[in-house]
């Protein structure tokens, strides 16, 4: 099977749609079992999450009654190599720390079990003014 950057873009669109709506059931399928994310906060502190910790983060926000997050994205790069892919983009939303921020994201994907799954995310949070 030949994968394309359009496949990664479609997977990203699904991820953004489901994550911004706090759909934890869908995120269980989208995030790989070995998922790991690193958040570099504006003060340079670092927070990391496993798959279950990150899904718990989304579940907590849903239980608190949070509404849909901003879905805005600025796409910078897509790359596919066999069963792996990556996307670099900038997002704007408040889901990581409660304050609307710019998020520079590097998201790595793996095609496994008949679907694209997020393996790793590196997210750098910056104030909207930067």
């Amino acid at each position: 099977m030949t994968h394309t950057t359009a496949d990664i873009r479609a997977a990203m669109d699904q991820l953004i749609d489901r994550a911004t709506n706090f759909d934890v059931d869908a995120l269980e399928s989208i995030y790989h079992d070995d998922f790991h994310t690193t958040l570099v906060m504006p003060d340079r502190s670092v927070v990391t999450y496993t798959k279950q910790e990150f899904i718990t983060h989304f579940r907590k926000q849903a239980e608190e009654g949070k509404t849909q997050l901003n879905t805005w994205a600025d796409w910078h790069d897509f790359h596919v190599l066999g069963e792996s892919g990556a996307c670099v983009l900038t997002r704007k939303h408040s889901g990581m720390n409660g304050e609307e921020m710019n998020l520079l994201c590097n998201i790595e994907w793996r095609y496994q079990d008949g679907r694209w799954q997020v393996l790793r995310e590196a997210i750098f949070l910056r104030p909207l003014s930067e």
Side-chain angles (χ1 to χ4, degrees):
M1 173 180 284
T2 301
H3 301 290
T4 67
T5 57
D7 296 332
I8 299 298
R9 172 61 193 263
M12 282 299 309
D13 287 341
Q14 180 189 24
L15 171 61
I16 290 170
D17 179 64
R18 295 299 76 217
T20 58
N21 285 288
F22 308 103
D23 185 346
V24 294
D25 293 331
L27 295 177
E28 285 283 351
S29 177
I30 293 170
Y31 289 126
H32 192 277
D33 287 343
D34 295 329
F35 172 79
H36 178 85
T37 191
T38 302
L39 305 176
V40 180
M41 306 305 271
D43 65 1
R44 299 180 58 137
S45 63
V46 175
V47 179
T48 62
Y49 291 101
T50 64
K51 175 181 179 175
Q52 288 310 313
E53 291 168 338
F54 207 46
I55 289 174
T56 298
H57 172 77
F58 280 97
R59 181 176 284 115
K60 181 180 176 196
Q61 290 184 72
E63 290 169 354
E64 291 172 354
K66 297 279 175 84
T67 58
Q68 182 180 17
L69 296 171
N70 190 339
T71 60
W72 181 88
D74 186 15
W75 308 96
H76 305 303
D77 187 37
F78 295 94
H79 180 75
V80 176
L81 182 60
E83 303 292 299
S84 297
C87 177
V88 178
L89 69 154
T90 301
R91 298 280 326 283
K92 290 183 184 181
H93 70 69
S94 60
M96 297 296 101
N97 68 352
E99 179 182 342
E100 193 83 358
M101 302 285 265
N102 283 317
L103 285 69
L104 178 59
C105 308
N106 180 350
I107 302 182
E108 299 173 29
W109 293 85
R110 177 179 293 158
Y111 191 82
Q112 188 175 325
D113 298 330
R115 67 187 189 282
W116 284 102
Q117 299 176 54
V118 178
L119 185 61
R120 186 173 187 288
E121 294 180 343
I123 303 171
F124 298 82
L125 286 80
R126 297 293 175 258
L128 290 177
S129 60
E130 288 185 17

PDB file of all heavy atoms in Angstrom, residues 73-89:
ATOM      1  N   ALA A  73      -5.960  25.811  12.079  1.00  0.00           N
ATOM      2  CA  ALA A  73      -4.653  25.188  11.864  1.00  0.00           C
ATOM      3  C   ALA A  73      -3.965  25.855  10.677  1.00  0.00           C
ATOM      4  O   ALA A  73      -4.606  26.206   9.690  1.00  0.00           O
ATOM      5  CB  ALA A  73      -4.806  23.694  11.605  1.00  0.00           C
ATOM      6  N   ASP A  74      -2.665  26.009  10.808  1.00  0.00           N
ATOM      7  CA  ASP A  74      -1.814  26.501   9.722  1.00  0.00           C
ATOM      8  C   ASP A  74      -0.830  25.371   9.434  1.00  0.00           C
ATOM      9  O   ASP A  74      -0.008  25.024  10.288  1.00  0.00           O
ATOM     10  CB  ASP A  74      -1.086  27.772  10.167  1.00  0.00           C
ATOM     11  CG  ASP A  74      -0.284  28.417   9.048  1.00  0.00           C
ATOM     12  OD1 ASP A  74      -0.487  28.068   7.866  1.00  0.00           O
ATOM     13  OD2 ASP A  74       0.559  29.282   9.364  1.00  0.00           O
ATOM     14  N   TRP A  75      -0.925  24.788   8.240  1.00  0.00           N
ATOM     15  CA  TRP A  75      -0.160  23.605   7.876  1.00  0.00           C
ATOM     16  C   TRP A  75       1.206  24.008   7.337  1.00  0.00           C
ATOM     17  O   TRP A  75       1.300  24.820   6.429  1.00  0.00           O
ATOM     18  CB  TRP A  75      -0.930  22.806   6.836  1.00  0.00           C
ATOM     19  CG  TRP A  75      -2.333  22.518   7.279  1.00  0.00           C
ATOM     20  CD1 TRP A  75      -3.459  23.227   6.956  1.00  0.00           C
ATOM     21  CD2 TRP A  75      -2.759  21.487   8.155  1.00  0.00           C
ATOM     22  NE1 TRP A  75      -4.561  22.683   7.572  1.00  0.00           N
ATOM     23  CE2 TRP A  75      -4.159  21.610   8.319  1.00  0.00           C
ATOM     24  CE3 TRP A  75      -2.087  20.464   8.832  1.00  0.00           C
ATOM     25  CZ2 TRP A  75      -4.902  20.745   9.115  1.00  0.00           C
ATOM     26  CZ3 TRP A  75      -2.836  19.605   9.621  1.00  0.00           C
ATOM     27  CH2 TRP A  75      -4.221  19.753   9.757  1.00  0.00           C
ATOM     28  N   HIS A  76       2.272  23.399   7.880  1.00  0.00           N
ATOM     29  CA  HIS A  76       3.634  23.736   7.466  1.00  0.00           C
ATOM     30  C   HIS A  76       4.305  22.633   6.652  1.00  0.00           C
ATOM     31  O   HIS A  76       5.007  22.926   5.691  1.00  0.00           O
ATOM     32  CB  HIS A  76       4.500  24.062   8.687  1.00  0.00           C
ATOM     33  CG  HIS A  76       3.936  25.129   9.552  1.00  0.00           C
ATOM     34  ND1 HIS A  76       3.627  26.395   9.084  1.00  0.00           N
ATOM     35  CD2 HIS A  76       3.592  25.123  10.859  1.00  0.00           C
ATOM     36  CE1 HIS A  76       3.123  27.120  10.073  1.00  0.00           C
ATOM     37  NE2 HIS A  76       3.095  26.374  11.151  1.00  0.00           N
ATOM     38  N   ASP A  77       4.118  21.367   7.037  1.00  0.00           N
ATOM     39  CA  ASP A  77       4.836  20.291   6.356  1.00  0.00           C
ATOM     40  C   ASP A  77       4.158  18.957   6.606  1.00  0.00           C
ATOM     41  O   ASP A  77       3.628  18.715   7.701  1.00  0.00           O
ATOM     42  CB  ASP A  77       6.287  20.224   6.863  1.00  0.00           C
ATOM     43  CG  ASP A  77       7.149  19.244   6.085  1.00  0.00           C
ATOM     44  OD1 ASP A  77       6.981  19.129   4.857  1.00  0.00           O
ATOM     45  OD2 ASP A  77       7.995  18.583   6.709  1.00  0.00           O
ATOM     46  N   PHE A  78       4.166  18.120   5.584  1.00  0.00           N
ATOM     47  CA  PHE A  78       3.727  16.729   5.681  1.00  0.00           C
ATOM     48  C   PHE A  78       4.831  15.868   5.100  1.00  0.00           C
ATOM     49  O   PHE A  78       5.466  16.243   4.108  1.00  0.00           O
ATOM     50  CB  PHE A  78       2.452  16.484   4.854  1.00  0.00           C
ATOM     51  CG  PHE A  78       1.249  17.223   5.347  1.00  0.00           C
ATOM     52  CD1 PHE A  78       0.917  18.461   4.819  1.00  0.00           C
ATOM     53  CD2 PHE A  78       0.441  16.684   6.320  1.00  0.00           C
ATOM     54  CE1 PHE A  78      -0.202  19.145   5.248  1.00  0.00           C
ATOM     55  CE2 PHE A  78      -0.681  17.360   6.773  1.00  0.00           C
ATOM     56  CZ  PHE A  78      -1.006  18.588   6.230  1.00  0.00           C
ATOM     57  N   HIS A  79       5.033  14.707   5.703  1.00  0.00           N
ATOM     58  CA  HIS A  79       6.054  13.790   5.189  1.00  0.00           C
ATOM     59  C   HIS A  79       5.581  12.363   5.432  1.00  0.00           C
ATOM     60  O   HIS A  79       5.081  12.041   6.510  1.00  0.00           O
ATOM     61  CB  HIS A  79       7.390  14.022   5.894  1.00  0.00           C
ATOM     62  CG  HIS A  79       8.471  13.127   5.406  1.00  0.00           C
ATOM     63  ND1 HIS A  79       9.091  13.322   4.197  1.00  0.00           N
ATOM     64  CD2 HIS A  79       9.021  12.027   5.948  1.00  0.00           C
ATOM     65  CE1 HIS A  79       9.989  12.371   4.021  1.00  0.00           C
ATOM     66  NE2 HIS A  79       9.970  11.573   5.071  1.00  0.00           N
ATOM     67  N   VAL A  80       5.740  11.515   4.415  1.00  0.00           N
ATOM     68  CA  VAL A  80       5.385  10.102   4.539  1.00  0.00           C
ATOM     69  C   VAL A  80       6.586   9.275   4.139  1.00  0.00           C
ATOM     70  O   VAL A  80       7.242   9.547   3.126  1.00  0.00           O
ATOM     71  CB  VAL A  80       4.180   9.738   3.632  1.00  0.00           C
ATOM     72  CG1 VAL A  80       3.885   8.252   3.705  1.00  0.00           C
ATOM     73  CG2 VAL A  80       2.961  10.549   4.021  1.00  0.00           C
ATOM     74  N   LEU A  81       6.885   8.260   4.947  1.00  0.00           N
ATOM     75  CA  LEU A  81       7.940   7.311   4.641  1.00  0.00           C
ATOM     76  C   LEU A  81       7.433   5.933   5.021  1.00  0.00           C
ATOM     77  O   LEU A  81       7.414   5.572   6.206  1.00  0.00           O
ATOM     78  CB  LEU A  81       9.228   7.651   5.404  1.00  0.00           C
ATOM     79  CG  LEU A  81      10.423   6.747   5.121  1.00  0.00           C
ATOM     80  CD1 LEU A  81      10.809   6.792   3.645  1.00  0.00           C
ATOM     81  CD2 LEU A  81      11.601   7.157   5.991  1.00  0.00           C
ATOM     82  N   GLY A  82       6.957   5.200   4.026  1.00  0.00           N
ATOM     83  CA  GLY A  82       6.426   3.867   4.291  1.00  0.00           C
ATOM     84  C   GLY A  82       5.205   3.917   5.183  1.00  0.00           C
ATOM     85  O   GLY A  82       4.205   4.536   4.854  1.00  0.00           O
ATOM     86  N   GLU A  83       5.313   3.262   6.336  1.00  0.00           N
ATOM     87  CA  GLU A  83       4.200   3.178   7.289  1.00  0.00           C
ATOM     88  C   GLU A  83       4.266   4.283   8.351  1.00  0.00           C
ATOM     89  O   GLU A  83       3.548   4.224   9.345  1.00  0.00           O
ATOM     90  CB  GLU A  83       4.219   1.811   7.991  1.00  0.00           C
ATOM     91  CG  GLU A  83       4.155   0.620   7.032  1.00  0.00           C
ATOM     92  CD  GLU A  83       2.818   0.515   6.327  1.00  0.00           C
ATOM     93  OE1 GLU A  83       1.787   0.355   7.015  1.00  0.00           O
ATOM     94  OE2 GLU A  83       2.791   0.576   5.084  1.00  0.00           O
ATOM     95  N   SER A  84       5.147   5.258   8.145  1.00  0.00           N
ATOM     96  CA  SER A  84       5.290   6.368   9.087  1.00  0.00           C
ATOM     97  C   SER A  84       4.995   7.685   8.375  1.00  0.00           C
ATOM     98  O   SER A  84       5.194   7.809   7.174  1.00  0.00           O
ATOM     99  CB  SER A  84       6.720   6.425   9.641  1.00  0.00           C
ATOM    100  OG  SER A  84       7.003   5.265  10.371  1.00  0.00           O
ATOM    101  N   GLY A  85       4.533   8.635   9.144  1.00  0.00           N
ATOM    102  CA  GLY A  85       4.262   9.956   8.605  1.00  0.00           C
ATOM    103  C   GLY A  85       4.444  11.005   9.671  1.00  0.00           C
ATOM    104  O   GLY A  85       4.472  10.697  10.869  1.00  0.00           O
ATOM    105  N   ALA A  86       4.571  12.245   9.244  1.00  0.00           N
ATOM    106  CA  ALA A  86       4.720  13.355  10.185  1.00  0.00           C
ATOM    107  C   ALA A  86       4.034  14.583   9.619  1.00  0.00           C
ATOM    108  O   ALA A  86       3.907  14.745   8.404  1.00  0.00           O
ATOM    109  CB  ALA A  86       6.193  13.643  10.444  1.00  0.00           C
ATOM    110  N   CYS A  87       3.604  15.428  10.531  1.00  0.00           N
ATOM    111  CA  CYS A  87       2.969  16.689  10.162  1.00  0.00           C
ATOM    112  C   CYS A  87       3.469  17.763  11.121  1.00  0.00           C
ATOM    113  O   CYS A  87       3.555  17.529  12.328  1.00  0.00           O
ATOM    114  CB  CYS A  87       1.454  16.564  10.267  1.00  0.00           C
ATOM    115  SG  CYS A  87       0.578  18.104   9.910  1.00  0.00           S
ATOM    116  N   VAL A  88       3.807  18.916  10.571  1.00  0.00           N
ATOM    117  CA  VAL A  88       4.171  20.075  11.383  1.00  0.00           C
ATOM    118  C   VAL A  88       3.131  21.152  11.094  1.00  0.00           C
ATOM    119  O   VAL A  88       2.845  21.452   9.930  1.00  0.00           O
ATOM    120  CB  VAL A  88       5.594  20.574  11.046  1.00  0.00           C
ATOM    121  CG1 VAL A  88       5.930  21.819  11.862  1.00  0.00           C
ATOM    122  CG2 VAL A  88       6.620  19.471  11.283  1.00  0.00           C
ATOM    123  N   LEU A  89       2.559  21.695  12.150  1.00  0.00           N
ATOM    124  CA  LEU A  89       1.512  22.694  11.991  1.00  0.00           C
ATOM    125  C   LEU A  89       1.482  23.602  13.206  1.00  0.00           C
ATOM    126  O   LEU A  89       2.056  23.286  14.253  1.00  0.00           O
ATOM    127  CB  LEU A  89       0.150  22.039  11.803  1.00  0.00           C
ATOM    128  CG  LEU A  89      -0.439  21.307  13.013  1.00  0.00           C
ATOM    129  CD1 LEU A  89      -1.960  21.285  12.913  1.00  0.00           C
ATOM    130  CD2 LEU A  89       0.088  19.893  13.118  1.00  0.00           C
TER     131      LEU A  89
END
